[in-house]
Amino acid sequence: MRVAIVGVGMHPFGRTPERTGLQQGVYAARLALSNAGVQWKDMQFGYGGSYSSGNADALGNELGLTGVPFTNILNACATGGSSLLSACKEIQSGAAEIGLVVGFDKHDRGAFNAHPSEYGLGDWYGEAGFMLTTQFFAAKIQKYMHDHGITVDTLARVAEKAYRNGALNPNAWRRTAISLDEIKNSQMVNDPLTKYMFCSPSEGGVALVVCREDVAHRYTDKPVFVAAAAMRTRVSGAFEVYGTSVALDDVPNASENASKAAYEMAGMGPKDINVAALQDTEAGAEVMHMAENGFCEHGEQEAMLRNGDTEISGRLPVNTDGGCLANGEPIGASGLRQIHEMVLQLRGQAGARQVPGNPRTGYTHVYGAPGISAVTILQR
Amino acid sequence: MPKEPYRSSETAQTFRQYGLGYVELPGALRVESRLTENDPAKLRIGQEMELVVYVHRTDPDGTDVMNYAFQPVPSEARK
């Protein structure tokens, strides 16, 4: 039995000094409830989380303390995916019929500075300067460019597309197109990645109302179904963020394993997907994740970006809402932002950035520390 | 300069950008390491590296805190 998404809501991403992270979550929850035509008291469960803005169940203080069983989820970049996955299991077990999934966050400016002890690593790892995710991303794309002939121009094209798509999205943070040259010549952060090739920690909130497939018609005439929701953690030897070493042999990483599990669960393959959201913490990540999620062979991205294959009008639109690059990354909300975008695309409600041809299937993928990935496949 | 948990004796004025890479230990694994060379133009994938130990910081009580890094093997030393 599939689970249906029947309501979505989003607080714009970016900087909102007048609202806490939690208030942005409440804002998104109210929109999602209203979008499904239901009330908070109708919710039979809640799953949600934030990394920096407190317990998600505190939104009951504003929405009403109804006694609802609400579980706080904290699972790094997979917080949203894990919340949706938990909600699906809750419904599929027969324990509940309808519930809320919510994620929000509000981060300070600048890079995340996680402590090694939170990841079971010694203090030395942070003191020596290894707790910087930007370094991992740069090292991974350096090797990928070396092995598969990807150029800096391709990285810049990914970022250029993100800001161009962001300009079409009223909820995006960065809504101004930036030229290829400006992207390439902006401040170098971690060679080969420049400032405009990186996303930044930001703020925002997203919520979904989900229910049992057979009652979805009560709430919407455009239900979007969860064909698959999978999450995987790292395996020994894979090249992952906050990993002290890498095996000499190629070991499939968390993204590859989550992707494979999701395709199997959905009974679909990459060719069946009409539109995708892939984790683009930086421009190189989108390039590598295209192959890791099965959408091309390693190295084909060079021609695909040059040909515009991943543009909104291309054969596989990627990050139509501007992705992390144009939206920033509020950890708890980021994965749900991708799902929110897919629901709009599959409903045909994505406005100026609507993918043509009435897309039927959408794919979302997140990746984060310390080697964790969540993938969903959605269909209408 | 990186935020905490980075901890060195450097200040924003004396901070020197550092290289970082994954160095293959033949037959074992690739280990994440600081590199003594920080100029990307002088680093390439596959070049030979050797282990060095350096003073990462000096604590207020005078204790030197050591760390490992890898440096490019000088061309005249290569076999």
Side-chain angles (χ1 to χ4, degrees):
Chain A
M1 190 244 314
R2 293 179 304 178
V3 166
I5 301 171
V6 294
V8 293
M10 177 167 175
H11 184 285
F13 279 29
R15 295 274 174 229
T16 310
E18 66 273 23
R19 285 195 192 100
T20 65
L22 180 67
Q23 285 168 339
Q24 295 181 42
V26 169
Y27 179 105
R30 287 201 168 113
L31 283 179
L33 293 166
S34 150
N35 189 239
V38 294
Q39 298 190 357
W40 171 235
K41 65 178 171 54
D42 301 325
M43 295 298 99
Q44 297 168 9
F45 67 82
Y47 284 98
S50 88
Y51 182 80
S52 304
S53 296
N55 298 330
D57 71 324
L59 52 72
N61 290 351
E62 299 217 22
L63 294 177
L65 297 170
T66 60
V68 63
F70 194 109
T71 306
N72 295 309
I73 302 273
L74 180 54
N75 216 3
C77 297
T79 295
S82 295
S83 298
L84 178 60
L85 183 59
S86 303
C88 289
K89 288 181 173 168
E90 181 95 17
I91 290 169
Q92 284 161 341
S93 74
E97 190 175 284
I98 186 166
L100 184 79
V101 173
V102 60
F104 52 85
D105 246 315
K106 187 182 185 87
H107 303 301
D108 293 336
R109 286 174 55 85
F112 292 117
N113 58 334
H115 198 275
S117 63
E118 295 165 21
Y119 295 89
L121 295 164
D123 288 350
W124 67 271
Y125 189 78
E127 293 178 7
F130 294 127
M131 278 313 274
L132 285 158
T133 54
T134 56
Q135 296 172 164
F136 162 80
F137 293 123
K140 189 178 172 197
I141 190 62
Q142 280 282 9
K143 178 155 194 313
Y144 198 86
M145 292 165 82
H146 172 268
D147 291 353
H148 302 292
I150 300 295
T151 63
V152 169
D153 274 6
T154 292
L155 305 186
R157 282 195 181 97
V158 167
E160 185 197 30
K161 168 174 70 69
Y163 300 119
R164 197 166 354 95
N165 291 351
L168 303 175
N169 176 6
N171 284 322
W173 182 16
R174 306 202 185 278
R175 305 199 53 214
T176 308
I178 304 178
S179 73
L180 271 185
D181 280 345
E182 206 179 336
I183 291 164
K184 281 199 285 187
N185 297 324
S186 61
Q187 184 193 353
M188 182 58 73
V189 178
N190 264 130
D191 187 69
L193 301 168
T194 63
K195 175 177 153 184
Y196 290 134
M197 294 180 189
F198 274 105
C199 90
S200 306
S202 71
E203 308 172 15
V206 181
L208 317 172
V209 174
V210 295
C211 75
R212 225 169 56 201
E213 176 175 17
D214 60 322
V215 298
H217 63 275
R218 291 184 204 161
Y219 309 107
T220 178
D221 57 358
K222 290 185 171 172
V224 169
F225 301 103
V226 182
M231 192 272 287
R232 287 292 185 274
T233 59
R234 66 203 185 281
V235 296
S236 180
F239 192 9
E240 308 280 14
V241 65
Y242 298 155
T244 56
S245 66
V246 188
L248 298 185
D249 300 329
D250 274 338
V251 176
N253 61 35
S255 293
E256 291 169 301
N257 290 331
S259 174
K260 190 163 173 274
Y263 285 129
E264 279 172 15
M265 205 178 295
M268 291 188 206
K271 298 236 170 344
D272 299 316
I273 304 299
N274 300 144
V275 51
L278 304 176
Q279 179 85 19
D280 57 333
T281 319
E282 42 80 24
E286 179 173 314
V287 170
M288 295 183 284
H289 290 152
M290 285 166 64
E292 290 176 8
N293 288 279
F295 294 113
C296 63
E297 295 298 322
H298 294 299
E300 284 181 356
Q301 302 94 325
E302 185 75 12
M304 288 176 75
L305 265 294
R306 206 168 39 232
N307 298 339
D309 289 349
T310 54
E311 299 287 337
I312 288 170
S313 57
R315 68 179 163 94
L316 178 74
V318 173
N319 293 331
T320 49
D321 66 349
C324 290
L325 288 169
N327 287 279
E329 189 178 21
I331 291 180
S334 199
L336 296 179
R337 168 188 56 74
Q338 296 179 332
I339 292 167
H340 180 273
E341 173 67 6
M342 286 307 140
V343 170
L344 295 191
Q345 290 289 351
L346 300 188
R347 285 175 174 177
Q349 296 173 345
R353 63 187 192 284
Q354 178 65 46
V355 169
N358 304 313
R360 300 195 60 84
T361 52
Y363 183 101
T364 74
H365 158 266
V366 294
Y367 174 78
I372 185 167
S373 178
V375 170
T376 68
I377 297 176
L378 307 175
Q379 63 185 156
R380 64 178 169 88
Chain B
M1 190 161 87
K3 300 179 192 172
E4 281 197 89
Y6 186 65
R7 194 170 160 213
S8 69
S9 303
E10 299 159 297
T11 64
Q13 285 70 41
T14 65
F15 173 70
R16 183 174 167 272
Q17 291 171 315
Y18 54 89
L20 181 127
Y22 294 77
V23 180
E24 181 164 332
L25 310 181
L29 43 70
R30 298 187 184 108
V31 65
E32 187 177 15
S33 176
R34 281 177 70 129
L35 307 177
T36 57
E37 178 59 64
N38 70 359
D39 179 357
K42 294 180 183 164
L43 292 166
R44 57 178 177 76
I45 290 173
Q47 81 186 81
E48 200 176 344
M49 306 293 282
E50 63 188 12
L51 181 71
V52 292
V53 173
Y54 73 98
V55 177
H56 180 64
R57 70 164 188 270
T58 303
D59 280 346
D61 67 359
T63 306
D64 283 342
V65 177
M66 315 301 285
N67 188 29
Y68 69 94
F70 280 84
Q71 68 180 11
V73 174
S75 51
E76 64 271 25
R78 278 188 215 132
K79 291 189 265 304

